[in-house]
Amino acid sequence: MINIFFLLILFSSLLGRIKFPGINIGIHYLLLPVFSFGIISLSVKGIPEILKKHRIILISMSLLYLWMWLSALISPFPNTAITYSIKYSTYFIEFFAFLVLTFRNLKTSSLTFYYRCILYLLQIIAAFGFVEALFPNHWIFELLKFPSYYPQIGSIMQNPNQFGVIVAIGLCLSLILEKQSKISKFELYISEFVFLISLALSASRNAWLVLIFGMFLLLIYKIVSIRKMIFIMSLWLLCIISIPVSTYRIGLGNSKIFPLINLFISNPSEIVLPSPVGTALSRFALWQAAINETIKRPITGIGIGAFAEHIGVKVFGVKGYHAHDIFLNVLVEQGVIGFLLFTNFLVRIASYARHANPLTIIPIMMFLASQTPDFFAEDYTFTSIEFYFLAAAINSRKDLVMQLKPEIIYNAEKIYD
C-alpha cells in the first residue's frame, strides 16, 4: 500500500494545470498532502524513531518554514506571500513522507523499486516530449501543461528548462542504475535514446550545462569511463546540430537539416537574433532587480513568491520571472535570516549525504547546480523528485550501516572461530 501512495504522489505532481471546479486552485495542492499523509499514517509506529534520528534536519527545515510564514506576514505583499506559503507547505509534508518512506524501506529491493519508478516516470515525461514535438496542439497538453514555449519542448512540465534538466538527470540516473545492476542494458539504451533527443528538443542551455556537469560527476565516481562519456557527449552534440529546435535561438529555427550549417552560408543580415528576454542577458537584469530589492529589505525580504509576481514583472512586463538563482531568490524573498536558515539546511543535508550512494548524491548535485541559473520550486514534479533524493540521502547513513552489517558479522564470526 505504501508503494501505491508513492506512485500516486509522483502522478499527482503532474496535475498542476487541473483545477477544482469553480475555483482557480490546482487539485495537486490537495492530492499531494493527502497521499503524503497516507505514507505517514502507515508508518506511525516508526515516527518516534525517525524524529529522534533526524531531529536536527527536521528542526532546521521547521525553522526555515516558520521564518517563511513570519516574513510573509510582514511582507509588503502579504496576500501573495501567504498564498505561496500555503502552497509551499505542501513540500514540508511531502518531504517528511519521503523521509518516512526511505527510513522504513531500506532494503535494496525496496529502494530499487522507488528509483525505477522515478526513472520510468522521467521516460514517460520524455516520451510526451516526442508527442509535443509532433502534435504541439494535442488536447493532452491543453489539459496538463502550462503555456507552450514551442518550438522549445517542455512536455507536460511547466517549462522547457525544467523538462531539459529533469531528463538530463534521468540520463545520469539510468547510467548509475545500470552500473549498479538495478536495470538492464536494454532499459539503459531506451533511456539514452529518449533522454538525449529530449535534451535537444528542450533547447535548454541550463539542461545542457547540467548534463556536462553530471557526466563529469559520473566520471569522478567511476560510473562511466572516459570512452563512454565521449560517446554519450558525441551523440548529444549530434542531436543538437541535427534537430532544428536546438538552434532556433540563433535565428535558424526554420532550417530542417543540420541547422548550424546555415549559419555559415546565410546572409548575416537575415539571421534574426532573439530578444534579451529569451537569452542569458535576461538573468543579469533579474539579478540586478533582486539585489536592489534585497538592499531595501535586507532582514525580512519581500515574502516568498513576491519577486515573480511583483518585481520580475517590472523587468519584463509579465509575471513569472523569478530571480533565476535559488540563493538570490531566497535572499530577496526571505532576507538574510531566511538565507542563513536555507544555507544551514543545505549544510545539514550535506553532512548526511557526504558518504551517500552515488545514486543519490549525483542527482542532488545536479538538482542544485540546475538552480544556480534558475529556480524551479514552482514545478511540483521537479521538486517532488528532488525531495525524494534529499530524503534518501539523509537516510543513507542508516542504509550504509545496514549494508555493512553482514560483513561486520562475518568478520566477527571469523575472528571468534
Side-chain angles (χ1 to χ4, degrees):
M1 189 66 182
I2 199 168
N3 292 341
I4 294 175
F5 280 124
F6 174 72
L7 294 174
L8 289 173
I9 288 175
L10 294 181
F11 174 75
S12 299
S13 69
L14 293 167
L15 304 180
R17 286 286 287 178
I18 301 178
K19 310 295 184 182
F20 284 107
I23 55 177
N24 191 33
I25 300 177
I27 63 173
H28 64 299
Y29 293 126
L30 172 64
L31 296 180
L32 287 173
V34 165
F35 296 138
S36 296
F37 277 123
I39 291 176
I40 295 169
S41 64
L42 292 173
S43 308
V44 171
K45 292 182 179 180
I47 287 179
E49 184 181 1
I50 295 170
L51 294 174
K52 180 180 178 181
K53 293 285 186 181
H54 298 312
R55 61 183 179 278
I56 295 177
I57 197 75
L58 289 172
I59 290 173
S60 298
M61 194 170 190
S62 298
L63 289 173
L64 183 62
Y65 267 84
L66 287 173
W67 178 253
M68 178 185 73
W69 275 98
L70 180 59
S71 66
L73 294 174
I74 59 179
S75 165
F77 312 101
N79 291 337
T80 299
I82 291 173
T83 299
Y84 273 83
S85 296
I86 295 172
K87 290 163 61 176
Y88 287 175
S89 294
T90 299
Y91 286 140
F92 184 88
I93 301 169
E94 190 178 34
F95 174 74
F96 185 70
F98 287 152
L99 201 62
V100 170
L101 181 73
T102 53
F103 188 89
R104 168 178 168 168
N105 296 286
L106 280 170
K107 295 180 180 179
T108 303
S109 58
S110 298
L111 292 177
T112 300
F113 172 79
Y114 302 134
Y115 289 121
R116 288 171 69 97
C117 287
I118 291 173
L119 178 64
Y120 295 152
L121 174 67
L122 299 185
Q123 289 176 346
I124 292 170
I125 292 173
F128 272 112
F130 283 63
V131 176
E132 185 185 6
L134 297 173
F135 310 102
N137 298 318
H138 195 278
W139 66 266
I140 192 70
F141 301 111
E142 294 289 333
L143 177 67
L144 293 179
K145 77 170 294 174
F146 287 76
S148 176
Y149 290 80
Y150 192 82
Q152 276 189 279
I153 302 304
S155 184
I156 50 179
M157 299 188 73
Q158 284 190 2
N159 188 286
N161 283 332
Q162 285 100 306
F163 172 61
V165 168
I166 207 73
V167 297
I169 293 172
L171 175 60
C172 293
L173 176 64
S174 64
L175 288 164
I176 301 170
L177 288 171
E178 192 279 329
K179 179 69 174 181
Q180 298 184 356
S181 301
K182 292 178 170 59
I183 63 172
S184 65
K185 288 278 188 185
F186 177 74
E187 290 173 294
L188 173 63
Y189 297 149
I190 292 293
S191 295
E192 289 178 321
F193 175 76
V194 297
F195 290 148
L196 284 173
I197 296 179
S198 296
L199 270 172
L201 289 171
S202 73
S204 169
R205 292 155 300 185
N206 187 355
W208 296 347
L209 292 174
V210 167
L211 175 66
I212 295 171
F213 176 63
M215 293 305 299
F216 275 105
L217 289 176
L218 293 177
L219 186 63
I220 292 171
Y221 278 91
K222 298 182 180 179
I223 303 298
V224 298
S225 62
I226 295 179
R227 182 178 178 182
K228 177 72 172 178
M229 184 181 76
I230 293 174
F231 175 73
I232 293 174
M233 300 300 284
S234 298
L235 287 177
W236 167 60
L237 290 173
L238 179 62
C239 291
I240 288 180
I241 65 174
S242 302
I243 298 175
V245 69
S246 302
T247 51
Y248 93 97
R249 287 177 179 270
I250 57 173
L252 302 172
N254 295 324
S255 303
K256 301 301 180 185
I257 301 175
F258 293 103
L260 285 180
I261 294 176
N262 294 272
L263 181 63
F264 303 102
I265 64 177
S266 299
N267 186 336
S269 63
E270 297 177 356
I271 298 176
V272 180
L273 296 176
S275 69
V277 175
T279 69
L281 295 176
S282 63
R283 285 170 169 77
F284 292 105
L286 292 166
W287 293 342
Q288 183 178 11
I291 292 171
N292 291 339
E293 292 299 321
T294 302
I295 293 172
K296 295 177 184 177
R297 297 179 65 88
I299 305 300
T300 60
I302 61 175
I304 193 164
F307 189 90
E309 295 288 332
H310 301 282
I311 308 303
V313 67
K314 296 178 182 178
V315 180
F316 293 125
V318 293
K319 292 183 179 181
Y321 281 93
H322 44 70
H324 273 68
D325 176 84
I326 189 170
F327 297 102
L328 196 54
N329 210 87
V330 171
L331 181 62
V332 67
E333 293 185 344
Q334 302 292 289
V336 174
I337 295 177
F339 178 79
L340 292 175
L341 290 172
F342 176 69
T343 305
N344 174 68
F345 177 66
L346 292 182
V347 170
R348 296 297 180 186
I349 290 176
S351 68
Y352 281 92
R354 58 185 177 180
H355 300 302
N357 190 320
L359 193 53
T360 56
I361 192 63
I362 291 177
I364 287 174
M365 293 174 71
M366 295 176 72
F367 275 117
L368 183 60
S370 71
Q371 298 190 81
T372 301
D374 220 321
F375 183 64
F376 298 144
E378 256 310 276
D379 193 304
Y380 277 74
T381 303
F382 185 95
T383 307
S384 294
I385 295 174
E386 181 180 19
F387 273 19
Y388 172 81
F389 280 100
L390 290 176
I394 289 169
N395 279 317
S396 61
R397 283 185 177 178
K398 185 180 178 185
D399 187 19
L400 182 64
V401 171
M402 291 185 70
Q403 291 176 5
L404 290 176
K405 275 184 178 179
E407 184 178 345
I408 294 173
I409 293 172
Y410 172 78
N411 290 335
E413 290 177 346
K414 189 175 181 180
I415 292 172
Y416 179 78
D417 289 340

